[in-house]
Amino acid sequence: MTIDAGEPTVTLSARASVAVGVVKVANRLSRVLGRGSGTVVGGRAGLVVDPTLLATLARDRDVVLVTGTNGKTTTTRMLVAALSGAAGPAIASNDTGANMPAGHVAAMVESPRATAAVLEVDESYLGRLIEETRPRVVVLLNLSRDQLDRIAEVRMLVDRWRAALAGLSGASDPGGRGTVVVANADDPMVVWAALAAPDVRWVGAGQVWHDDAVGCPACGGRIEFGAGGAWACDRCDFARPVRDAWLEGADLVMADGTRQVLFLGLPGQFNRANAAMAALAATEMPASETPGGAPRSTPPLPGLLARLASVDQVAGRFSSTVRRGRPVRLLLAKNPAGWTAIFDLLDEAGTCGAPVVLSVNARVADGLDTSWLWDVPFERLAGRSVVATGDRRLDLAVRLRYAEVTHAVVDGPLAALDLALDLTDLGTVGPDRGAGTVEFLGNYTAFADLRRQL
């Protein structure tokens, strides 16, 4: 059996054929019954029927894997835009963020004609995905603490990455299925893992959070961070590698000295970092044929960056809505590094007086341990009007009190937004200090709760 009548096709065994049918039926039922978005349950069922289904579906596709603690979903969306173009082939992608094997299977079943797949990968599953998909490109964004009750300690995780990457063959492999790793040269943990790979492109994408990389993974010495993202161990020769490209403000600078300005639809320096990683990864993808027989090729860098600029929101993140006639911007952050990057974004935007609603839950998708709140620099919100909400609003309020941030505590995200809007209406902030915008910052389920209620 083949997945689709169009070309190219993937030949399936009888078992895989049944598994694909199960994926489609289960996902369709999930959507019809309102039990989910139909991006996970079918994949789980399909893998029960055929545990090798992921490898089968990836066999004839050019696969890109994107992983890291922060920025996976955004970088994946940017890569899809870069590789698709206006009239290019469909790209299979788990763009809803279902980043474990069940989500990968569902994404590829939903796009049977796609010649390529861009897959966001949970950090702990990178080794399995490398083994089963034989990727053309692996993108390593960053590594820091996240979901302390589920994700392994950072050093354990980086060692697992290093072992998985050591088994890759390079792009010049005679078999023609080598892998290029595109890695963030400014993150010592990423560099330690990527050094095991035979073929690496180093991108100076920046790193706002250093607290999980102060100890040298090579010798146990201390990593010292300098200007411009440079770093080195104070004991051994472990240091930032020579970069193939890097960011200077809004400019992407190549090793040959050429520069391209990043005009993006998404705000913030961290999204420029995501764009830089996506751009370098896209240039490493091989040309192949579309279902109609036309070649798929990557445009020169300026054209590629223009495609990235078309991305202006990702699963609702960075989008804006209106409540009571006032703009509300929706931002997602899930760990200390992510919250720090969002605070940088708020400072960069210059809306120092805009009210901020902080919403924190601690459900399964968020991680049950909220001790990470004490690592977030909430002190940076001093002087703003802050409202705390979410299931763990009282924990958040305690942290804000110790940060000496004046705040209110409200049950429910809509009520919290309304209070923030009332503060604007009462003149606590004005058009010259934020243009009446309210910034909403929430972790995974808190963000989803607000979107659903809006």
Side-chain angles (χ1 to χ4, degrees):
M1 174 187 170
T2 59
I3 292 181
D4 194 270
E7 293 292 336
T9 56
V10 177
T11 302
L12 300 178
S13 66
R15 187 170 187 173
S17 173
V18 172
V20 166
V22 167
V23 173
K24 291 180 177 179
V25 170
N27 282 347
R28 188 176 300 116
L29 281 174
S30 176
R31 289 189 288 266
V32 169
L33 297 175
R35 301 300 297 271
S37 58
T39 57
V40 174
V41 64
R44 288 176 179 165
L47 286 169
V48 169
V49 174
D50 182 2
T52 68
L53 184 58
L54 176 58
T56 298
L57 295 173
R59 186 175 59 224
D60 296 323
R61 305 181 202 244
D62 294 324
V63 175
V64 185
L65 305 180
V66 180
T67 195
T69 309
N70 293 294
K72 296 185 292 291
T73 303
T74 300
T75 305
T76 298
R77 178 67 188 87
M78 287 179 168
L79 257 168
V80 171
L83 295 173
S84 298
I91 305 293
S93 185
N94 53 333
D95 55 6
T96 62
N99 58 19
M100 299 180 194
H104 304 142
V105 165
M108 287 191 279
V109 168
E110 289 294 319
S111 300
R113 299 190 184 190
T115 59
V118 179
L119 303 177
E120 172 188 339
V121 181
D122 182 273
E123 303 95 288
S124 61
Y125 282 87
L126 180 62
R128 175 176 172 180
L129 264 291
I130 286 175
E131 181 179 349
E132 296 196 27
T133 67
R134 300 181 65 200
R136 295 287 193 163
V137 181
V138 175
V139 182
L140 306 179
L141 300 171
N142 45 64
L143 264 180
S144 66
R145 70 193 72 173
D146 184 44
Q147 296 193 17
L148 302 178
D149 57 309
R150 186 179 69 83
I151 298 294
E153 191 268 343
V154 172
R155 291 305 179 84
M156 295 173 63
L157 198 56
V158 75
D159 287 343
R160 289 163 60 186
W161 278 18
R162 186 176 170 90
L165 296 170
L168 294 172
S169 57
S172 58
D173 177 68
R177 291 294 300 185
T179 302
V180 174
V181 174
V182 178
N184 183 358
D186 291 339
D187 186 329
M189 295 299 103
V190 165
V191 171
W192 178 244
L195 283 172
D199 204 343
V200 185
R201 305 291 179 267
W202 299 107
V203 183
Q207 180 75 340
V208 301
W209 181 260
H210 297 150
D211 288 15
D212 294 310
V214 295
C216 176
C219 75
R222 182 176 181 81
I223 300 292
E224 296 182 339
F225 294 89
W231 55 266
C233 176
D234 65 355
R235 271 198 224 164
C236 70
D237 61 358
F238 183 57
R240 184 174 70 177
V242 176
R243 298 165 297 172
D244 297 288
W246 60 91
L247 284 174
E248 289 185 6
D251 289 352
L252 177 60
V253 185
M254 308 303 291
D256 63 5
T258 59
R259 290 174 174 263
Q260 299 291 334
V261 180
L262 294 175
F263 296 106
L264 299 181
L266 296 176
Q269 186 65 16
F270 61 93
N271 277 322
R272 288 188 278 275
N274 293 334
M277 298 292 288
L280 267 291
T283 63
E284 297 298 334
M285 280 291 278
S288 64
E289 289 191 353
T290 71
R296 185 192 74 229
S297 59
T298 303
L301 191 59
L304 198 155
L305 294 177
R307 290 181 179 181
L308 298 184
S310 67
V311 180
D312 57 8
Q313 62 93 20
V314 179
R317 306 170 196 189
F318 314 107
S319 65
S320 293
T321 187
V322 175
R323 185 165 178 82
R324 288 172 32 186
R326 297 293 182 84
V328 177
R329 183 163 60 164
L330 309 181
L331 303 168
L332 182 145
K334 59 175 185 165
N335 51 42
W339 284 83
T340 301
I342 291 293
F343 293 163
D344 287 344
L345 168 61
L346 297 184
D347 291 344
E348 183 181 328
T351 56
C352 62
V356 177
V357 175
L358 307 177
S359 186
V360 173
N361 290 343
R363 303 173 194 171
V364 172
D366 309 301
L368 305 179
D369 185 342
T370 57
S371 61
W372 57 268
L373 287 170
W374 293 90
D375 296 319
V376 177
F378 287 108
E379 290 79 3
R380 295 177 59 178
L381 297 178
R384 289 180 179 266
S385 298
V386 176
V387 182
T389 189
D391 298 347
R392 303 304 288 267
R393 59 191 176 278
L394 298 182
D395 294 327
L396 178 57
V398 172
R399 175 66 185 98
L400 292 171
R401 180 178 179 182
Y402 276 88
E404 299 183 352
V405 174
T406 302
H407 61 280
V409 180
V410 175
D411 183 6
L414 291 183
L417 278 182
D418 287 339
L419 176 57
L421 290 167
D422 288 342
L423 295 174
T424 304
D425 293 338
L426 289 170
T428 305
V429 294
D432 59 330
R433 299 185 65 210
T437 298
V438 172
E439 308 280 12
F440 177 91
L441 284 67
N443 62 353
Y444 274 134
T445 63
F447 183 86
D449 284 351
L450 178 67
R451 289 191 71 204
R452 185 165 51 248
Q453 293 182 41
L454 286 173

